[in-house]
């Protein structure tokens, strides 16, 4: 099974400053169709998860452009260019290339 | 507007069974893969199962294989998760999702004696 490893697990950030979360997979997430099925999710306190990014770098509708995803192969990054109060929550990466799908442990973003 | 409403959670003893339901609206249900994802109290997300649009393919996390069955009724826009031989470690909020893009509010399953 694919293991997804996120870092850091805790991320205190000052409002207006950038934030970056790393996600590494135990093997390449490139599928036979050429796509890389790596998604990012946000879970705000007390809410259901929400997908932010699909296939590494594609923003879902309604996601602000200060949030971006990048990476390839086994190394991926979620970046927030300027953190706002609404960004507080836990962020998860997830691979959907291989069965069973698997999530990272989660990164808790808080305001410093 | 896409809506996913889970039901069927509750308290069950170890070894017991429970059937979760998810009622979908706001989209053509039969066009989409559907998933169940769970979250143990204070823990992270765990993908549980997927089912193809027509129900012809189903996939499970290893820890529930042979105990859980995902199914769907496209005529009634409903997704199900039949859970048997429940264990304490199955205690979690169970979310129904449409291709991991849209999520319900979750239903809590507690396995305890």
């Amino acid at each position: 099974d694919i293991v997804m490893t996120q870092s850091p697990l805790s991320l205190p950030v000052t409002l207006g400053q950038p934030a970056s979360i790393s996600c590494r997979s135990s093997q390449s997430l490139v599928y036979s169709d050429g796509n890389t099925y790596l998604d990012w999710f946000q879970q705000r306190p007390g809410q259901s998860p929400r997908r932010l990014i699909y296939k590494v770098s594609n923003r879902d509708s309604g996601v602000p452009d200060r949030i971006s995803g990048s990476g390839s192969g086994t190394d991926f990054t979620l970046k927030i260019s300027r953190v706002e109060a609404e960004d507080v929550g836990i962020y998860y990466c997830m691979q959907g290339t291989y069965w069973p799908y698997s999530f990272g442990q989660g990164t808790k973003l808080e305001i410093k | 507007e896409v809506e996913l409403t889970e039901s069927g959670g509750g308290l069950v003893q170890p070894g017991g069974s429970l059937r979760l339901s998810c009622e979908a609206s706001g989209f053509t249900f039969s066009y989409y893969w559907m998933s169940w994802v769970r979250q143990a109290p204070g823990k992270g997300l765990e993908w549980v199962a997927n089912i193809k649009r027509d129900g012809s393919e189903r996939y499970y996390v290893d820890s529930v294989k042979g105990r859980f069955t995902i199914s769907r009724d496209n005529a009634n826009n409903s997704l199900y998760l039949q859970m048997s031989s429940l264990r304490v470690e199955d205690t979690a909020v169970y979310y129904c999702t449409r291709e991991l893009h849209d999520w319900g509010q979750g239903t809590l399953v507690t396995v305890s004696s």
Side-chain angles (χ1 to χ4, degrees):
Chain A
D1 294 358
I2 305 298
V3 177
M4 305 298 290
T5 304
Q6 290 182 227
S7 62
L9 299 185
S10 178
L11 185 57
V13 184
T14 301
L15 285 172
Q17 293 301 301
S20 180
I21 300 170
S22 171
C23 174
R24 289 188 171 177
S25 57
S26 57
Q27 65 187 76
S28 173
L29 298 184
V30 180
Y31 188 53
S32 55
D33 64 2
N35 288 309
T36 300
Y37 294 95
L38 185 285
D39 299 344
W40 288 95
F41 296 83
Q42 174 196 59
Q43 188 173 30
R44 291 171 172 152
Q47 294 188 12
S48 298
R50 164 199 184 197
R51 195 178 70 184
L52 301 173
I53 301 285
Y54 63 97
K55 288 193 284 185
V56 180
S57 59
N58 297 277
R59 266 187 299 272
D60 276 288
S61 58
V63 175
D65 59 9
R66 56 193 180 76
I67 293 176
S68 63
S70 63
S72 63
T74 61
D75 289 334
F76 305 93
T77 303
L78 181 75
K79 290 183 179 177
I80 305 175
S81 58
R82 299 172 309 280
V83 168
E84 298 185 4
E86 66 176 20
D87 298 328
V88 166
I90 302 176
Y91 292 78
Y92 299 91
C93 61
M94 190 213 78
Q95 69 82 18
T97 297
Y98 302 101
W99 304 109
Y101 290 176
S102 46
F103 286 91
Q105 319 96 299
T107 296
K108 186 173 185 178
L109 188 152
E110 60 182 17
I111 304 302
K112 206 186 285 184
Chain B
E1 181 191 357
V2 172
E3 285 195 18
L4 299 168
T5 305
E6 302 93 338
S7 61
L11 175 63
V12 62
Q13 290 190 338
S17 299
L18 213 53
R19 188 196 198 204
L20 305 184
S21 300
C22 172
E23 185 178 323
S25 63
F27 63 100
T28 305
F29 184 71
S30 61
Y31 284 9
Y32 294 88
W33 285 71
M34 297 294 293
S35 305
W36 288 99
V37 175
R38 67 184 178 183
Q39 186 169 35
K43 302 297 184 184
L45 301 173
E46 181 181 38
W47 172 82
V48 174
N50 262 33
I51 186 167
K52 197 176 180 179
R53 302 170 194 88
D54 61 358
S56 61
E57 294 180 33
R58 310 177 196 204
Y59 300 91
Y60 301 92
V61 68
D62 288 350
S63 59
V64 309
K65 278 181 186 174
R67 301 189 300 122
F68 290 11
T69 301
I70 187 172
S71 63
R72 64 192 297 161
D73 180 348
N74 286 346
N76 289 298
N77 298 329
S78 294
L79 176 72
Y80 305 102
L81 187 67
Q82 178 67 49
M83 304 185 296
S84 59
S85 302
L86 281 161
R87 305 167 181 167
V88 171
E89 55 266 34
D90 295 319
T91 295
V93 173
Y94 285 73
Y95 294 101
C96 162
T97 94
R98 182 187 76 152
E99 295 190 351
L100 293 159
H101 177 265
D102 301 285
W103 296 61
Q105 84 290 346
T107 186
L108 176 63
V109 172
T110 303
V111 185
S112 175
S113 54

